[in-house]
Amino acid sequence: MLLKVAIIVLIIYIIVVTRSRIRLPNPALRATVDVLQAATLKDEHVMQMARKYIDYADAQNALLPLDDPYAERLDRLTSRYVAVNGVPLNFRVYKTAQINAFATADGSIRIFSGLMDLMNDDELMAIVGHEMGHIRNSDTLSAMRKAYLTSAARNALGGVIGSLSGSQWGSLAEKLAGSQFSQGQEYAADDFSFGFLQRNGYDPYAMASALEKIHRTSQRKDGQADAILQLFSTHPDSFSRAARMRAKADAAKALPAA
C-alpha cells in the first residue's frame, strides 16, 4: 500500500513540477497519469485549446463569409455584445440544415443556418443568450476540460500548448459534440438568457417559444426532424425547459410595473 502511494506521489511530482512526458506500460498507472494531466490543466491552457479547437471546427464546417445574408443578420443582432464575464465574444454562422448552436470557452458562438431559418430575431437572441450563459457560467470551460480528458488528445501532454494531430483534434471534437450539460447547467443558462432578454428589450417569452419550436419540429416525420436530433444531443429536455421559461415569463408579466 505504501509503495502504491509513493508511486502516485512520484507521478504527481513529475506532472505538476516538471510536466515531463512519461510512458508507463501499466494501463492503470497510465490512466492515473491521464487524469492527473487533465486535472493540472490551468484555465488559460483550456482557453488556448478552445481557441485552437474553434479554428479546427471552422475549417471542418461550411463557415459562411461575413457578407452572406445569414452572417449579416447575425451581425446585425449581435454586434453590440462584445464580451460576457470578461470573455470576448465572436459570432459566426455554419451553413447546414441542422438546427443547433454551440459556444466554446474562448467566447466563440457558432449558429447553424438551419436554426436561423426556424427562429425569429427575438428567439434567435434567446438562443444566443443561452449560449452566452454557458460561457458566463464556465460550463464551456468544464466541457472542454472533460472532452480533453476523455479523448485521444489527452495522450499528448504538450497538446494544449503545442499542436495536436488531425486525429487528436477529431477525437476531441467528437467528445465535445457528444457531451451534455447537466439539467442544472441548462436551467442556469436559460435563466441567464431570460435576464438577457429582459435587459435588452427582447420578448421575454422568446426563450419559451424557441424551445417550443424545437420540440414541435422534433415531432415531425421529415428531414427537419432528423436535423433537430443534433440539438437534442447537447440540449436535452426542451419541452420541460420551455414550460419552465413560459412560467417564468408569466410571473414577470404579473409583477407590478416599477
Side-chain angles (χ1 to χ4, degrees):
M1 178 65 181
L2 289 175
L3 178 60
K4 184 177 180 181
V5 171
I7 290 173
I8 293 175
V9 170
L10 178 61
I11 291 171
I12 293 173
Y13 176 82
I14 292 172
I15 292 171
V16 176
V17 178
T18 71
R19 293 189 177 272
S20 299
R21 179 62 176 154
I22 62 177
R23 297 183 181 276
L24 295 174
N26 187 307
L29 289 179
R30 180 53 187 273
T32 302
V33 172
D34 288 341
V35 170
L36 290 171
Q37 286 179 195
T40 58
L41 288 177
K42 295 181 178 179
D43 286 353
E44 58 263 31
H45 294 156
V46 180
M47 293 284 278
Q48 185 177 356
M49 178 185 285
R51 285 190 289 270
K52 292 185 178 181
Y53 169 77
I54 203 65
D55 289 341
Y56 170 85
D58 287 350
Q60 299 300 311
N61 290 278
L63 184 69
L64 288 175
L66 297 178
D67 60 353
D68 182 271
Y70 283 100
E72 289 180 341
R73 178 190 174 197
L74 186 62
D75 181 68
R76 171 174 58 81
L77 293 170
T78 63
S79 60
R80 62 185 170 127
Y81 306 112
V82 297
V84 58
N85 204 31
V87 180
L89 299 172
N90 70 90
F91 303 88
R92 296 296 296 270
V93 182
Y94 290 163
K95 178 64 174 175
T96 172
Q98 289 183 346
I99 299 170
N100 204 356
F102 71 88
T104 53
D106 69 314
S108 298
I109 295 178
R110 297 297 180 261
I111 308 293
F112 292 20
S113 60
L115 178 70
M116 296 182 71
D117 289 336
L118 188 64
M119 304 294 171
N120 65 33
D121 285 356
D122 283 22
E123 291 163 346
L124 182 58
M125 291 310 296
I127 300 297
V128 166
H130 177 89
E131 298 303 332
M132 289 170 63
H134 281 310
I135 296 171
R136 189 260 184 205
N137 297 332
S138 298
D139 299 335
T140 51
L141 196 71
S142 299
M144 179 62 73
R145 193 186 303 273
K146 182 179 179 181
Y148 172 77
L149 172 61
T150 57
S151 73
R154 75 187 188 279
N155 294 324
L157 180 59
V160 179
I161 304 173
S163 18
L164 303 181
S165 68
S167 62
Q168 287 170 330
W169 278 123
S171 175
L172 181 62
E174 181 181 0
K175 295 296 183 180
L176 198 57
S179 65
Q180 291 188 347
F181 294 121
S182 69
Q183 184 182 70
Q185 288 173 319
E186 292 291 7
Y187 283 177
D190 286 345
D191 290 342
F192 180 89
S193 180
F194 184 79
F196 170 78
L197 294 173
Q198 287 188 309
R199 289 191 301 272
N200 292 284
Y202 298 111
D203 180 2
Y205 288 92
M207 190 64 191
S209 60
L211 290 167
E212 287 163 356
K213 281 185 177 181
I214 289 169
H215 178 74
R216 286 196 300 270
T217 304
S218 72
Q219 306 303 303
R220 291 166 49 174
K221 305 297 183 182
D222 58 17
Q224 197 170 17
D226 293 336
I228 202 76
L229 294 177
Q230 179 68 21
L231 185 58
F232 271 102
S233 73
T234 55
H235 295 70
D237 200 15
S238 294
F239 182 74
S240 63
R241 285 170 53 210
R244 178 177 177 272
M245 297 310 293
R246 185 163 289 280
K248 196 175 182 73
D250 286 342
K253 185 178 180 180
L255 292 174

